[in-house]
Amino acid sequence: MPEQSFPFTTAKDAALEHQLAVRRRHRPVDPLLSLVVPVFNEEESIDLFLDTVIPLLEKVSLRFELVFINDGSRDETFARLFDRGRHDRRIRIVNLSRNFGKEAALTAGIDHAKGDILIPMDIDLQDPPDLIQPFIARWREGYDIVYGVRTARLTDTRAKRMSADWFYRVFNSMSPVRIPPNVGDFRLVDRRAVEVLRQLPERNRFMKGLFAWVGFNSIGVPYERPQRAAGMTKFNFWRLWNFALDGVVSFSTAPLRAWFYVGVVIAAIAVLYALFIVTRVLIFGIDTPGYASLLIAVLLMGAIQLLSLGIIGEYLGRLFLEVKGRPIYVVEGVYEDGTSEPPQA
């Protein structure tokens, strides 16, 4: 009699399937999709983005809205969005009073989106609109967050790919909140996860970490990241470095704890060296310390103290910003169908 193979299901898999089944029963049949698109000096990309995304969404018969967050653009970005919005009621523009940064702009979009499901994406079409349908298919299976996983980043330089790889390794080794490697902000987020995100009050925001922090059942969808369709990237090495630093400091106190252990090790070495000097003097007579070794010790301790003070300063600076309690962003106006309404509270 031929052998029969039976699928092996663990208790964990069974529990997950039960959770997904419960969520499937609560999914709306005709959900409203909100595309949240932060923009900063992207006048070259607007028409191409809209002419690509709108026909695709209409083809799959989705109810949708396009929420653009104008993050203090200094070119014709707002004018072009306003002109397109006069002819399409599905376009809404949240105009910020100045440039607050992408994380704040993304927060503003999440706060103003009305959809049952949200998808933050870039306007340069490096987040492929073709993935929207697979995202929704996974959402209908019961998952609350569906994120895109970049399987190939051929458009990025080798240095950028290596630095990104190291960032994910370092972050996940230091933070209790794990970020899936090669995952950006491009993802589908269910309304109940959105409501949790809206409760998070911190001003120094690292959205990749916040998306991971809220939890819920998540799954990845692989894709190859294409080149920018238009315009130039606004992120240089310095901005990426500060972005990575914000992420580590926002989700981990490991750097502070590390310098405690560095201090313990240096103190132990100093005590052992002192014992060695005393023992050598007692056995061999008076010892004259060398100038070179003294200078090296002083410079080393000074460098370690300055570095540790710098790390403490990073945390103290963020605490200073949080204590002041300023809003994450300021809305100049919300524009829809060529009209303006008062900013939402």
Side-chain angles (χ1 to χ4, degrees):
M1 185 174 180
E3 295 184 358
Q4 293 181 341
S5 59
F6 297 93
F8 179 73
T9 304
T10 65
K12 182 178 179 180
D13 294 334
L16 174 61
E17 181 53 39
H18 176 71
Q19 286 182 314
L20 297 181
V22 171
R23 296 309 308 163
R24 284 197 295 269
R25 290 197 295 268
H26 291 84
R27 295 291 192 237
V29 177
D30 185 23
L32 174 64
L33 168 65
S34 294
L35 288 188
V36 178
V37 189
V39 290
F40 175 64
N41 294 342
E42 294 284 1
E43 60 180 0
E44 301 174 357
S45 305
I46 292 170
D47 290 333
L48 179 60
F49 177 83
L50 291 173
D51 293 340
T52 301
V53 171
I54 290 179
L56 186 147
L57 294 177
E58 290 176 339
K59 184 178 179 181
V60 297
S61 301
L62 276 174
R63 290 193 306 126
F64 65 91
E65 64 171 0
L66 299 169
V67 183
F68 289 93
I69 307 91
N70 181 37
D71 190 22
S73 298
R74 295 184 291 270
D75 59 2
E76 297 297 317
T77 295
F78 176 75
R80 294 198 179 187
L81 286 173
F82 187 81
D83 181 64
R84 293 295 297 259
R86 286 189 305 172
H87 304 92
D88 194 332
R89 296 182 60 88
R90 297 168 297 188
I91 295 176
R92 189 159 75 255
I93 309 165
V94 180
N95 192 44
L96 303 187
S97 61
R98 64 169 177 84
N99 180 258
F100 287 88
K102 183 181 178 181
E103 306 301 283
L106 184 54
T107 302
I110 290 173
D111 289 343
H112 287 79
K114 302 175 182 178
D116 302 298
I117 48 180
L118 274 66
I119 297 183
M121 62 187 305
D122 294 337
I123 198 171
D124 57 17
L125 295 177
Q126 284 192 292
D127 298 335
D130 293 339
L131 251 66
I132 293 176
Q133 197 166 3
F135 279 3
I136 294 176
R138 286 297 196 177
W139 173 77
R140 291 196 182 280
E141 292 176 10
Y143 291 97
D144 295 296
I145 297 179
V146 185
Y147 51 82
V149 182
R150 302 163 183 167
T151 57
R153 304 179 62 166
L154 301 179
T155 60
D156 294 337
T157 63
R158 180 178 177 84
K160 186 175 181 180
R161 292 197 300 269
M162 291 180 60
S163 60
D165 180 63
W166 276 104
F167 166 74
Y168 287 111
R169 290 175 182 269
V170 171
F171 183 95
N172 288 330
S173 66
M174 297 170 61
S175 172
V177 178
R178 186 181 182 278
I179 297 179
N182 295 313
V183 172
D185 295 325
F186 183 41
R187 67 189 68 211
L188 179 149
V189 187
D190 183 73
R191 171 52 62 177
R192 70 169 183 159
V194 169
E195 292 304 319
V196 177
L197 283 170
R198 295 182 63 186
Q199 296 175 28
L200 304 181
E202 57 255 49
R203 273 73 185 165
N204 294 284
R205 304 179 74 80
F206 180 63
M207 295 305 297
K208 293 183 183 67
L210 295 181
F211 283 130
W213 183 89
V214 299
F216 296 107
N217 291 321
S218 307
I219 193 169
V221 175
Y223 74 99
E224 293 188 7
R225 188 170 173 82
Q227 294 182 347
R228 283 183 64 100
M232 297 292 293
T233 179
K234 308 305 184 295
F235 279 90
N236 53 29
F237 176 79
W238 182 245
R239 291 190 66 183
L240 288 172
W241 164 258
N242 288 322
F243 182 62
L245 188 62
D246 284 339
V248 172
V249 174
S250 297
F251 281 86
S252 175
T253 58
L256 291 174
R257 188 176 296 112
W259 285 103
F260 167 76
Y261 292 114
V262 169
V264 170
V265 171
I266 292 177
I269 293 174
V271 170
L272 293 175
Y273 185 67
L275 292 175
F276 168 74
I277 294 296
V278 171
T279 304
R280 191 172 66 172
V281 170
L282 292 176
I283 296 176
F284 299 104
I286 299 175
D287 177 73
T288 303
Y291 173 76
S293 60
L294 179 62
L295 180 62
I296 291 173
V298 170
L299 292 177
L300 176 62
M301 289 304 301
I304 291 175
Q305 289 172 356
L306 289 174
L307 185 58
S308 60
L309 284 174
I311 293 176
I312 294 173
E314 288 289 337
Y315 284 91
L316 185 60
R318 283 157 177 77
L319 181 62
F320 172 69
L321 295 176
E322 294 293 333
V323 168
K324 287 190 290 187
R326 292 175 180 171
I328 301 170
Y329 56 87
V330 177
V331 177
E332 180 275 331
V334 180
Y335 299 83
E336 187 170 11
D337 193 28
T339 62
S340 174
E341 61 185 39
Q344 296 184 15

